[in-house]
Amino acid sequence: MQAIVADTTPLNYLVLIQAADILPSLYRRVLIPPAVSAELAHANNPHCRARAWISQPPQWLEVVGLKQPVDPALAHLDAGEREAISLASELQAILLLMDERDGVIIARHRGLKVVGTLAALDLAASHGLIDLQIMFDRLRATTFRSPLRLMSSSKMPSARNVEKDNGSLAKGQAESGYNKGTIRTDMRIFWYQQMSANTV
């Protein structure tokens, strides 16, 4: 298993829908920079459950400081995104849990492997950790921003079933019901490649 660096938004919503515990089952460690910890704990965070959660963080969550100053080119992003991208870059070849489009684009341009909230839930469901549709229903009841079509598990075969399809996923040909290039499809392609190379 690889460790994953997490931005604020995915943690907020995973905590809110009571799914944060999927993370240590999917990844070796979950690392966050100080800015993400501060954003989760900030009084302006509307998610009181997340504030309570970060006040007594689980053992699998680790706050890791940056060794280098944040790249000024990231100044237009919020503090959590800037530090999460910087931390993932410093640690090299590590996964990044992030949803915000601008941050995701920059992270990918820097060679980082990005996972979104929906992709993490989808992966957890493929391992039998959660009921995906229940999690999607909980997300719909929040302020989570995503097209509704991305939160319909009935449109997509499970990741495990897709992995059996003669390697088609690795070629970007998964018939998932989602446009090629969406965060969930990207995650399935990446996860298939990881599973092919390593035992998770």
Side-chain angles (χ1 to χ4, degrees):
M1 291 186 184
Q2 284 186 296
I4 192 167
V5 172
D7 185 28
T8 308
T9 298
L11 289 177
N12 254 327
Y13 285 104
L14 289 174
V15 169
L16 196 61
I17 66 172
Q18 301 177 53
D21 286 344
I22 67 172
L23 295 176
S25 297
L26 299 176
Y27 310 105
R28 183 164 51 87
R29 291 182 300 160
V30 180
L31 313 176
I32 60 173
V36 168
S37 178
E39 288 178 351
L40 288 167
H42 199 282
N44 288 339
N45 182 351
H47 301 139
C48 59
R49 183 175 290 171
R51 295 200 304 269
W53 180 81
I54 197 62
S55 70
Q56 294 183 307
Q59 292 184 347
W60 47 262
L61 186 73
E62 181 179 352
V63 180
V64 180
L66 298 175
K67 296 180 180 179
Q68 301 293 331
V70 172
D71 186 346
L74 303 177
H76 63 291
L77 302 176
D78 70 28
E81 292 170 37
R82 292 196 299 267
E83 288 198 3
I85 291 172
S86 297
L87 180 59
S89 297
E90 284 186 2
L91 297 176
Q92 300 181 354
I94 200 165
L95 295 170
L96 176 63
L97 181 61
M98 179 174 285
D99 286 327
E100 282 76 12
R101 180 177 177 81
D102 288 348
V104 168
I105 291 172
I106 290 173
R108 285 178 171 169
H109 283 168
R110 293 178 177 223
L112 298 173
K113 303 295 185 180
V114 184
V115 182
T117 299
L118 298 183
L121 290 171
D122 181 41
L123 183 59
S126 78
H127 284 271
L129 300 175
I130 57 169
D131 182 305
L132 188 59
Q133 197 58 55
I134 289 175
M135 294 299 113
F136 284 176
D137 290 344
R138 291 178 183 178
L139 272 181
R140 288 193 191 95
T142 72
T143 56
F144 184 79
R145 294 177 295 177
S146 181
L148 290 179
R149 67 181 180 83
L150 292 183
M151 288 192 280
S152 177
S153 61
S154 62
K155 292 184 179 180
M156 179 173 57
S158 73
R160 279 181 174 173
N161 289 338
V162 174
E163 284 166 11
K164 297 176 183 178
D165 187 20
N166 296 322
S168 64
L169 183 60
K171 299 175 183 177
Q173 298 172 347
E175 296 179 358
S176 65
Y178 300 90
N179 293 331
K180 182 179 178 181
T182 62
I183 230 169
R184 295 183 70 195
T185 301
D186 285 352
M187 180 52 190
R188 286 198 173 172
I189 293 169
F190 172 67
W191 187 254
Y192 181 88
Q193 293 168 337
Q194 290 296 105
M195 289 287 285
S196 297
N198 303 289
T199 301
V200 178

